Amino acid sequence: MFRRVILPFLLSLALLAGVSALFAEKQKTDAQTAGEQTVPTVVIDAGHGGEDGGAVSADGTPEKNINLDIALRLRDLLTADGIPVVMTRTEDILLYDRSVDYQGRKKALDLAARKQIAEETPNCLFVSIHMNSYPDARYDGLQVWYSPNNPASKAVADLIQNTAREVLQPDNDRQVKAAGSSIYLLHHLTVPAVLTECGFLSNPAEAAKLAAPDYRQEVAFTLFLAIREACEEIF
Ligand SMILES: [Zn+2]
């Protein structure tokens, strides 16, 4: 009698313990998966492209080429570190739909397409890469702009600006700036979004630096360090 009652009871207890352990394990796995999902997908946006060269350095190099080169280097660094990346472009093109009447609105369609890529990327951090230009050739230094529509944007911009000061340009005392309506993407995007003007093509010394692959790798590495820190601390 004792055996007939107790043994099944003990067996069901053991079974319950086993199920509980399995359930706990599953919960842990789910939490880990959820944790992984907080790492953002970095949408790297190489500014300009194709018909739109952007600013031009004294030796005639268009901004679009330097933007894309640094963007590809940044992609490789982030990917090697396990941070997911989406590129708005990997070629020398503007992103407008060739099947519509695009005359006179290539640039508007291009910006809308870039905005759409960011919006369609879940848990996105948008990082646009540009070069600066100014009539006065004296000005130099990396400058970060942030979207005012998401509080994480300024935090990411601060990390990039501060990292640039620490590892790339010790004398750079520029402060991050909130983007106004003149920077279409940052003005309209509601996801965390920053735009880095990596240097002034109008400054001959800085343009010469940016013409060197080693320096472009240093710029990409600076962005990588800041974005990796952002992934750990902000997202
Ligand atoms: Zn630009």
Side-chain angles (χ1 to χ4, degrees), residues 47-48 53-55 63 67 107 129-132 195 197:
H48 311 278
E63 177 193 346
N67 296 342
K107 186 66 184 170
I129 295 173
H130 283 255
M131 301 298 136
N132 224 333
L195 183 150
E197 304 268 19

Side-chain angles (χ1 to χ4, degrees), residues 63-119:
E63 177 193 346
K64 63 175 183 175
N65 293 359
I66 305 172
N67 296 342
L68 181 58
D69 183 81
I70 291 174
L72 292 171
R73 291 170 188 274
L74 176 60
R75 174 196 65 183
D76 292 347
L77 288 164
L78 289 169
T79 303
D81 201 51
I83 296 172
V85 168
V86 167
M87 304 290 287
T88 58
R89 70 175 177 102
T90 55
E91 299 167 85
D92 183 18
I93 52 165
L94 270 186
L95 309 178
Y96 58 87
D97 184 349
R98 271 73 177 163
S99 69
V100 303
D101 178 17
Y102 53 73
Q103 292 303 333
R105 49 191 201 115
K106 286 180 185 177
K107 186 66 184 170
L109 290 168
D110 169 80
L111 289 172
R114 291 173 199 249
K115 178 168 168 275
Q116 191 177 350
I117 291 169
E119 287 170 343

Side-chain angles (χ1 to χ4, degrees), residues 35-42 74 78 81 83-84 123-127 144 150-163 166 192-194 196 221-235:
E36 281 167 14
Q37 282 169 349
T38 62
V39 173
T41 296
V42 181
L74 176 60
L78 289 169
D81 201 51
I83 296 172
N123 193 25
C124 151
L125 165 60
F126 183 83
V127 178
V144 190
N150 188 307
S153 301
K154 183 177 185 297
V156 175
D158 279 330
L159 273 176
I160 296 174
Q161 193 75 60
N162 292 337
T163 305
E166 286 161 17
V194 297
T196 300
F221 192 68
T222 301
L223 295 171
F224 162 70
L225 287 176
I227 291 168
R228 189 175 64 172
E229 197 173 340
C231 289
E232 287 168 2
E233 293 184 6
I234 299 168
F235 294 91

Side-chain angles (χ1 to χ4, degrees), residues 2-220:
F2 177 77
R3 281 191 166 191
R4 281 222 310 266
V5 175
I6 288 298
L7 207 58
F9 177 65
L10 286 176
L11 276 172
S12 58
L13 265 186
L15 196 65
L16 199 64
V19 168
S20 298
L22 277 175
F23 185 65
E25 195 58 37
K26 183 181 181 318
Q27 277 186 320
K28 202 171 117 191
T29 310
D30 287 349
Q32 283 169 341
T33 307
E36 281 167 14
Q37 282 169 349
T38 62
V39 173
T41 296
V42 181
V43 173
I44 305 176
D45 175 51
H48 311 278
E51 303 91 317
D52 171 21
V56 185
S57 66
D59 72 356
T61 306
E63 177 193 346
K64 63 175 183 175
N65 293 359
I66 305 172
N67 296 342
L68 181 58
D69 183 81
I70 291 174
L72 292 171
R73 291 170 188 274
L74 176 60
R75 174 196 65 183
D76 292 347
L77 288 164
L78 289 169
T79 303
D81 201 51
I83 296 172
V85 168
V86 167
M87 304 290 287
T88 58
R89 70 175 177 102
T90 55
E91 299 167 85
D92 183 18
I93 52 165
L94 270 186
L95 309 178
Y96 58 87
D97 184 349
R98 271 73 177 163
S99 69
V100 303
D101 178 17
Y102 53 73
Q103 292 303 333
R105 49 191 201 115
K106 286 180 185 177
K107 186 66 184 170
L109 290 168
D110 169 80
L111 289 172
R114 291 173 199 249
K115 178 168 168 275
Q116 191 177 350
I117 291 169
E119 287 170 343
E120 289 178 350
T121 303
N123 193 25
C124 151
L125 165 60
F126 183 83
V127 178
S128 193
I129 295 173
H130 283 255
M131 301 298 136
N132 224 333
S133 185
Y134 197 72
D136 188 332
R138 281 178 301 175
Y139 293 102
D140 66 358
L142 181 148
Q143 168 81 59
V144 190
W145 297 81
Y146 62 91
S147 166
N149 306 324
N150 188 307
S153 301
K154 183 177 185 297
V156 175
D158 279 330
L159 273 176
I160 296 174
Q161 193 75 60
N162 292 337
T163 305
R165 188 174 302 117
E166 286 161 17
V167 305
L168 190 70
Q169 300 165 351
D171 298 330
N172 185 333
D173 58 359
R174 294 183 174 278
Q175 303 295 313
V176 300
K177 290 181 182 169
S181 58
S182 64
I183 303 182
Y184 175 91
L185 287 170
L186 298 193
H187 186 65
H188 287 89
L189 282 173
T190 55
V191 299
V194 297
L195 183 150
T196 300
E197 304 268 19
C198 299
F200 283 76
L201 293 184
S202 46
N203 180 295
E206 195 160 42
K209 278 186 178 179
L210 286 160
D214 285 354
Y215 184 73
R216 295 197 296 272
Q217 183 68 20
E218 285 178 36
V219 174

